[in-house]
Amino acid sequence: MSADLFKDIVSHSKEYGFIFQSSEIYDGLSGVYDYGSYGVELKNNIKAYWWKAMVQNHENIVGLDSAIMMHPLIWKASGHVDAFNDPLVDSKASQKRYRADVMIEEALEKIMAKADKEIEKARKRFGDAFDENKYKTENPRVAEYIQQYNTINQKFVDAMGKGDMPALKAVIEELEIADPVSGSREWTDVRQFNLMFHTQLGNIAGEEGKLYLRPETAQGIFVNFLNVQKTTRQKLPFGIAQIGKAFRNEIIARQFIFRMREFEQMEMQYFVQPGTEMEWYNYWKETRMKWHRALGTPESKLRFHDHENLAHYANAAVDVQFDFPFGFKELEGVHSRTDFDLRSHQELSGKKLQYFDPETNESYVPYVVETSVGLDRMFLALLSNAYTEENVPDADGKDSTRIVLKFHPALAPVKCAILPLLKNNDDLTGLARKIFDDLKFNFLCQYDEKDAIGRRYRRQDAIGTPYCVTIDHQSLEDQTVTIRERDTLKQERIHMSKIREIVADGIDFRHLFA
RNA sequence: GCGGGAGUAGCUCAGGGGUAGAGCAUUAGCUUCCCAAGCUAAGGGCCGUGGGUUCGAUUCCCAUCUCCCGCUCCA
């Protein structure tokens, strides 16, 4: 059921120009998608809503658009170079996947644990006379454990240092590591997965010119922290917001635009006085949830999910999850990032990244609370939530189905369709054209005279247009038109001079901030 | 990446060893004053791609690419 719904949404996205597979005529490019003409409108509207909520409505949050390409040392400082080069290995028996380095470390710890156990036993036996160092070298069993640990650990460290995957596999075999699920010792080759895409600067490929495409926008904010703070004269706490592309070489990109290799983030880093970070963490957690709920998304489809395993930089982390057709998944992350990033950059660059607090008269590295929404995920969440198949009465009053995208009017790609009731009447089409030419300066409108009026309404429903204005014979006499509301199908006859006001009010972002 | 399923018109799909169909959609014309209307006509597919078997492959076999489901990962 939900799998079918998901397929329907994917088909609808293509058929109505929201999302296309990248490079489709060349068989596509895995995990990359293009946004079609209505898709880009929706996406731009989501960005506008976020930017208004974050930058425009907070005097102490300012924008930034940092470059995708950055100095490679930034990714060294951020931990991405070291922390996201995972060697992975699969069990052939159970097909379970494991981190090779984690598995080896665990096996090595077990060996050390055996040695420690022997030592503890001996300590109890010999009491005060026990000489641990002597025992370690002279007891054959303990000495062997330690010897084994040292030699294998050395091989492990060497292999990791060189990125030698076959050597890692050899270590796994030497340690006789078995898959905990199947008990099998049959492993695939160890493979390296690099999270970041490489590219190079200049014409000559070499270590010096090696660059990464950013895997998150946040670092562009951190390295500009002082530039922005000084030029905008901000005092703590204050935030820097950025919307931009990021790239991750995902092991497996799946579920349509949910996990893509090229994607877009809407991030805000909020710089706070150390010690106040949890206060702000809670503030942003609630504030961001309100932002999502304001769009009319049912409460049952949004929830918090606390992180149990924290990333290397965080001391608290929570996801805002949305109930996608394939289950509850992360939509946005709110993270307390401590001073990890700024401190790392300060150390590696040798430049001070500190804030001078005039109140306490001291300088310190601020703590950071991050909010990070996946723009593409937001798009998919809105699309999933908006997609509705429902029965409505047809011309004879019988049931017919329609597919309608019930976007919040402020986010809908096209705001208003202008429809002359008949195509073969110059007076009707002429007046409709005049209305269209006037309204098009205010918002995205569509003029459509093709096909029966009912079909045109359905076409607009399929792309989520909130208002349809129809020009009929009465319009020629008294300058009134009918305006149809997408969700209720209700029509109201209004004077044509009122159209702009009604549509403008309906699509006003203001309603999202009530 | 592993296992399973799928790829035929823009969309949803049928078919089948002898170079392809339906419905909807699209375009044009006529008709029609309000929720997928009717009539007429047109355009659009080397049946995902490459190889093999065969006199002949879109159909059978192999490989590959892409998508879906599960496992796994997710700053």
Side-chain angles (χ1 to χ4, degrees):
Chain A
M1 174 64 195
S2 62
D4 291 337
L5 172 66
F6 186 43
K7 278 189 176 177
D8 290 344
I9 290 170
V10 174
S11 294
H12 191 86
S13 298
K14 185 185 176 190
E15 188 169 4
Y16 287 93
F18 283 86
I19 313 270
F20 307 123
Q21 165 101 59
S22 164
S23 317
E24 196 183 23
I25 64 168
Y26 289 100
D27 278 345
L29 184 62
S30 182
V32 185
Y33 290 88
D34 299 334
Y35 283 82
S37 312
Y38 300 121
V40 67
E41 295 294 340
L42 175 58
K43 204 177 169 193
N44 284 341
N45 293 340
I46 296 170
K47 289 186 199 177
Y49 174 41
W50 188 84
W51 199 261
K52 282 174 196 292
M54 304 303 273
V55 178
Q56 210 168 310
N57 280 310
H58 290 90
E59 285 181 53
N60 69 338
I61 297 180
V62 291
L64 178 71
D65 186 14
S66 67
I68 287 171
M69 293 193 287
M70 291 186 245
H71 195 287
L73 284 178
I74 285 173
W75 306 110
K76 181 75 182 164
S78 70
H80 287 81
V81 172
D82 299 321
F84 296 100
N85 280 326
D86 301 338
L88 300 180
V89 63
D90 296 347
S91 164
K92 285 182 180 171
S94 68
Q95 270 120 33
K96 293 275 179 195
R97 165 163 300 164
Y98 302 92
R99 287 263 301 267
D101 53 333
V102 170
M103 224 164 56
I104 291 167
E105 278 168 10
E106 282 170 1
L108 286 169
E109 275 167 29
K110 276 184 193 164
I111 294 173
M112 267 323 249
K114 284 184 193 170
D116 287 343
K117 207 173 162 191
E118 293 289 332
I119 293 167
E120 281 314 304
K121 274 201 283 185
R123 191 193 306 280
K124 279 183 188 160
R125 211 168 340 130
F126 295 113
D128 290 343
F130 180 62
D131 180 340
E132 186 175 325
N133 286 334
K134 197 175 166 204
Y135 187 76
K136 275 183 183 167
T137 48
E138 289 181 1
N139 179 290
R141 207 185 308 175
V142 172
E144 196 193 317
Y145 283 143
I146 293 172
Q147 168 73 16
Q148 192 188 7
Y149 176 90
N150 286 338
T151 49
I152 298 179
N153 190 48
Q154 191 56 51
K155 287 181 194 172
F156 170 55
V157 170
D158 287 349
M160 286 299 283
K162 289 181 202 150
D164 186 344
M165 296 299 119
L168 277 184
K169 171 115 188 251
V171 171
I172 289 172
E173 282 164 354
E174 188 172 354
L175 284 165
E176 299 183 333
I177 296 174
D179 170 22
V181 174
S182 65
S184 163
R185 288 178 194 164
E186 290 290 312
W187 297 102
T188 62
D189 288 340
V190 180
R191 287 162 306 220
Q192 179 92 36
F193 287 95
N194 296 311
L195 175 95
M196 292 190 287
F197 288 101
H198 293 131
T199 184
Q200 82 271 344
L201 189 66
N203 301 330
I204 301 158
E207 269 312 299
E208 302 77 28
K210 199 177 187 185
L211 287 185
Y212 301 103
L213 299 182
R214 67 180 176 204
E216 63 173 17
T217 52
Q219 298 304 326
I221 294 177
F222 295 133
V223 299
N224 277 298
F225 158 67
L226 277 186
N227 285 338
V228 174
Q229 187 266 323
K230 285 178 177 163
T231 51
T232 58
R233 298 170 30 244
Q234 290 290 343
K235 290 178 186 161
L236 249 54
F238 80 99
I240 303 176
Q242 175 163 225
I243 299 175
K245 288 280 179 91
F247 305 83
R248 294 182 193 176
N249 199 0
E250 298 284 353
I251 295 167
I252 186 74
R254 281 277 186 80
Q255 275 147 340
F256 198 38
I257 58 170
F258 181 79
R259 177 168 293 110
M260 296 197 289
R261 297 206 160 91
E262 174 180 339
F263 61 103
E264 202 155 2
Q265 295 181 306
M266 302 188 288
E267 287 198 319
M268 192 277 296
Q269 308 294 334
Y270 203 67
F271 300 90
V272 306
Q273 199 175 3
T276 65
E277 71 269 17
M278 287 316 292
E279 197 181 301
W280 288 111
Y281 171 77
N282 287 322
Y283 169 81
W284 282 111
K285 182 179 161 181
E286 297 306 324
T287 303
R288 294 303 306 148
M289 183 58 102
K290 271 185 210 153
W291 183 88
H292 288 284
R293 290 201 172 130
L295 288 167
T297 310
E299 287 208 9
S300 62
K301 286 195 171 185
L302 287 166
R303 71 179 187 196
F304 287 118
H305 178 256
D306 286 309
H307 277 219
E308 285 139 30
N309 300 320
L310 296 171
H312 59 275
Y313 53 72
N315 68 0
V318 65
D319 289 344
V320 176
Q321 293 189 330
F322 175 78
D323 190 8
F324 287 97
F326 39 84
F328 271 100
K329 299 276 184 184
E330 178 185 354
L331 183 59
E332 170 156 10
V334 178
H335 296 211
S336 176
R337 289 183 82 129
T338 70
D339 61 353
F340 175 88
D341 299 279
L342 290 178
R343 192 168 285 285
S344 300
H345 287 304
Q346 179 170 275
E347 280 166 21
L348 195 62
S349 68
K351 306 286 194 312
K352 273 201 172 180
L353 289 176
Q354 298 187 353
Y355 171 75
F356 176 75
D357 191 332
E359 297 204 356
T360 60
N361 213 27
E362 54 186 9
S363 290
Y364 51 82
V365 178
Y367 269 46
V368 174
V369 175
E370 166 190 277
T371 72
S372 174
V373 202
L375 174 52
D376 311 276
R377 289 182 180 186
M378 192 65 203
F379 186 107
L380 184 57
L382 290 174
L383 190 63
S384 312
N385 191 53
Y387 184 91
T388 313
E389 286 179 36
E390 63 184 18
N391 289 322
V392 292
D394 66 10
D396 304 321
K398 284 185 289 193
D399 259 9
S400 68
T401 61
R402 70 162 181 167
I403 292 172
V404 52
L405 298 182
K406 297 188 173 181
F407 295 125
H408 189 287
L411 301 188
V414 177
K415 304 304 188 189
C416 183
I418 312 299
L419 315 170
L421 191 58
L422 298 175
K423 179 173 72 161
N424 61 356
N425 181 317
D426 290 345
D427 292 335
L428 289 177
T429 54
L431 182 56
R433 274 282 174 203
K434 209 177 124 200
I435 293 172
F436 171 79
D437 285 335
D438 178 48
L439 291 177
K440 71 184 178 189
F441 294 105
N442 290 87
F443 24 75
L444 186 61
C445 297
Q446 272 193 354
Y447 172 86
D448 189 2
E449 59 177 29
K450 171 77 181 163
D451 294 316
I453 189 71
R455 181 169 301 196
R456 281 180 274 167
Y457 286 143
R458 299 298 172 88
R459 265 207 291 268
Q460 295 301 329
D461 289 342
I463 61 170
T465 306
Y467 298 103
C468 288
V469 168
T470 304
I471 290 81
D472 59 17
H473 289 89
Q474 194 181 329
S475 311
L476 302 174
E477 289 161 20
D478 63 7
Q479 318 287 285
T480 63
V481 296
T482 59
I483 185 162
R484 168 205 189 249
E485 203 277 325
R486 179 193 67 204
D487 298 346
T488 61
L489 303 173
K490 278 192 184 136
Q491 283 184 292
E492 200 187 336
R493 184 164 284 278
I494 58 166
H495 195 270
M496 52 185 264
S497 62
K498 294 278 184 193
I499 303 170
R500 182 185 348 205
E501 188 186 325
I502 291 173
V503 176
D505 179 63
I507 65 168
D508 197 335
F509 277 95
R510 198 175 283 270
H511 299 305
L512 289 163
F513 298 103

